[in-house]
Amino acid sequence: MPTSRFSGAPSAGTAPALSLHQALAIGTPKAVSLWLDVVDDPIERADQLGDLTEAEAVRLTELLTVPEAVDLLDTLDLHTAVDALRIAPPARAGAVVAHLETDRAAELLRELDAAESERILGRVPADRAAVLRGLLRWPEDSVAAHMVPDVIAVDDSVTAGEAIQQVRDHSAKLRQDSHIGAYVFAVADDGRLRGVVSFRELVLADEGTLVDDLCTHEVVSVTALTDQEEAARLLVRHRLLALPVVDDADHLLGVLTADDAADIVGEETTEDAERQGGSQPLDVPYLRASPFLLWRKRIVWLLVLFVAEMYTGNVMKAFEDELDAVVALAFFIPLLIGTGGNTGTQITTTLIRAMATENVRMRDVGRVVVKELSAGSFVAIAMAGAGFVRAWMLGVEVQVMVTIALSLAAIILWSSLIASVIPLVLKKLRVDPAVVSGPMIATLVDGTGLLIYFWIAKLTLPELAGL
Amino acid sequence: MPTSRFSGAPSAGTAPALSLHQALAIGTPKAVSLWLDVVDDPIERADQLGDLTEAEAVRLTELLTVPEAVDLLDTLDLHTAVDALRIAPPARAGAVVAHLETDRAAELLRELDAAESERILGRVPADRAAVLRGLLRWPEDSVAAHMVPDVIAVDDSVTAGEAIQQVRDHSAKLRQDSHIGAYVFAVADDGRLRGVVSFRELVLADEGTLVDDLCTHEVVSVTALTDQEEAARLLVRHRLLALPVVDDADHLLGVLTADDAADIVGEETTEDAERQGGSQPLDVPYLRASPFLLWRKRIVWLLVLFVAEMYTGNVMKAFEDELDAVVALAFFIPLLIGTGGNTGTQITTTLIRAMATENVRMRDVGRVVVKELSAGSFVAIAMAGAGFVRAWMLGVEVQVMVTIALSLAAIILWSSLIASVIPLVLKKLRVDPAVVSGPMIATLVDGTGLLIYFWIAKLTLPELAGL
């Protein structure tokens, strides 16, 4: 059988040789099996599954063998996989869940409500169901909820040869997860984690060598309730293939594997990006989000920002006389507040990302503010020059040119200050700084920027002196 | 020795028991060694290294044993590690590079200029230097530049027992990378990749079983020049611990490991996030970026957006008479264009993220636009209502209330259209859609939104009929 190879070029536009519709129309297990061979890209598979009618989807669950269903559920995106599980007859779903990798099975069951999940777990062998129920009890954001509980642990006092025999004995009971094959963990008599050795080193070592001598004893581990994202970043930072999860007494509970860590990093970043853009995280793949869901995730922040932005109207109204006296002042309003918003957005996105990847911590507040105000000063000087030129191009009087240049500089410095301070203050208050979006900073700068503008205008323009 | 355990609570604020300054003041290898034991958080280590004088840093490279230096370089962030390599005496740097994991060594050398890198490679054993030079030749964005070239490959026609012996024989020559221990690859006579089996399955199988029977033959692989990000996402999607990299004739060149994939996903996302915020990617950790660098990465886009935003001034000037006639129109300008910008920012960030994670492809254009215009219609209705209420609160005449409501709705629909179409058009033109930032969409909407506003005002307000 040929290996499936993905080249650098996107394959967009080429229709697959066999569609799932066609395979189901043929209606034999062999046709569905052939479709799985032909269409091996998970996204393409999910796409075609999404187009099925409910009747077709049920028919599909009947035609797939259990290993095929396991393979399919393993690679599909979470939401498509959960839908597939929901639609399958419970006995069928139970058989598949029993054979899925443990962390994946728990991930899928977690998306179902308790009744649905129990209906399926009732059809899963009791010991396996117990393991899965155990995982489902951990909070969703904790690393324990995402760990593989079936780890290979051996006594730290045995030899390499004895350890391999222990692994062999365990293996009959253990799940055939390729994910857990990388490391063997050594535990002391009292069950505490003592060290780690790669399975390969264990096998290649002299049989009589003590496991304790082969092990690395400086094991990086996390406790069960550690935030999943923090654990994932720790794994990446230490370049591990699996990160052991322990309880408070240092007993080994399971491992977080590197592929799951990559998944967690990706998901958390998507949520952060959506928040940065000023909406609530979608939580479902974009193409599956209905217009109504998009509306619901966006309208709250739009209304909050709208209300926050409303006082720009009051500011404008308060300076109505000034606007009347020098109507040219109005020309520059969008430009001034737009530039202020852009400056702030640049700073918060860079800063929040840096905080998420933990380069920036609370004690760095001073450095951050000094750095941003220094950079902001350079920006202010350059943009003041640009503003002066622009005002000159519009043919306004010299005092207005000066007003524009000074206002731009002041608004940029003000925007730099609040854009760098607010995320750090939120972090101090233990609120995720990722809630600060570009639109939020832009809105804050709009109204306050107008105030700065009109104040500077009153100080600079003789026409406004008496108003 | 106790295991080092990271708990969920951040340890901010607690000073380490021994600082690197103190260890270097003591000035013995033992003091530095103790510091490595006490301070095991890579970020904390990088922080303290960043505070060293050059003389202290050189002293440190002399005090560390090679294994300690390898351990340190392995976990430090890229830039700190490269600086450390640059400052170390070449013989010392060569010894450390020779012992680093291959992909990590290549990653560090890539950051040096050719002369620096060759000075170090000259001190590395010839065969190892050749492997590293080979990796450095691949383009930086290709998966091949990030692969581990030392893979374990065996003949597909041998038995499990013979395969383990082959691995044992190879292992003397292979690097002691724990990263490559997870899989064994089977290759045919002609060198083509044929299948993959986990090392653990191989060891636990009956000795006489043919490797070919143990292998999974549907191997997901990528060609050498595949984009690193695409390869990383493929690995995550297929839940692999290592993704084989092959040449055009399907010969195995190396593997991308899951921890590197997680790293790539994280880095690429940081770059995207920075672009989304309207600046160029920093390419260095935030705290190491000088104010001047921040200025340089930000000022280009600020000026581009400033120039693009300039025509809002022309629009305002063109409608000077209208503004003079109904000065209340000016009150709503920041609110209207701000809301338009917010709507657009919400859409592009969600959409661009979805495109990066490959949920959305070119052929989905129609679905995306229909979805966004539907969601945009709901948003437009809700915000038109909010706008009407706000206008009423400011005590303006009824026709102005109607103008505000209609303009808000029209600007939101217009913003939804361009925010959803532009990223897709860029993708079609093979430009990375991540260059479309929130500020860019906001800027586009500001000027065009003003035009829409004034046109609607002219149609609605009898006072403006003659102008």
Side-chain angles (χ1 to χ4, degrees), chain A residues 337-391:
Chain A
I337 63 182
T339 303
N342 292 345
T343 308
T345 305
Q346 287 186 331
I347 295 171
T348 42
T349 41
T350 305
L351 188 56
I352 287 168
R353 187 75 196 133
M355 290 167 85
T357 55
E358 287 188 58
N359 278 319
V360 176
R361 289 168 294 180
M362 266 319 292
R363 62 172 171 196
D364 299 317
V365 177
R367 276 163 84 183
V368 169
V369 173
V370 168
K371 189 195 290 271
E372 289 300 348
L373 286 183
S374 311
S377 305
F378 300 153
V379 169
I381 292 167
M383 298 306 290
F388 194 85
V389 171
R390 173 54 181 162

Side-chain angles (χ1 to χ4, degrees), chain B residues 224-247:
Chain B
L225 291 175
T226 303
D227 179 73
Q228 55 168 340
E229 191 179 2
E230 199 183 321
R233 294 199 190 284
L234 193 67
L235 176 143
V236 172
R237 233 165 32 234
H238 285 274
R239 305 168 50 75
L240 305 170
L241 286 182
L243 176 69
V245 179
V246 296
D247 66 14

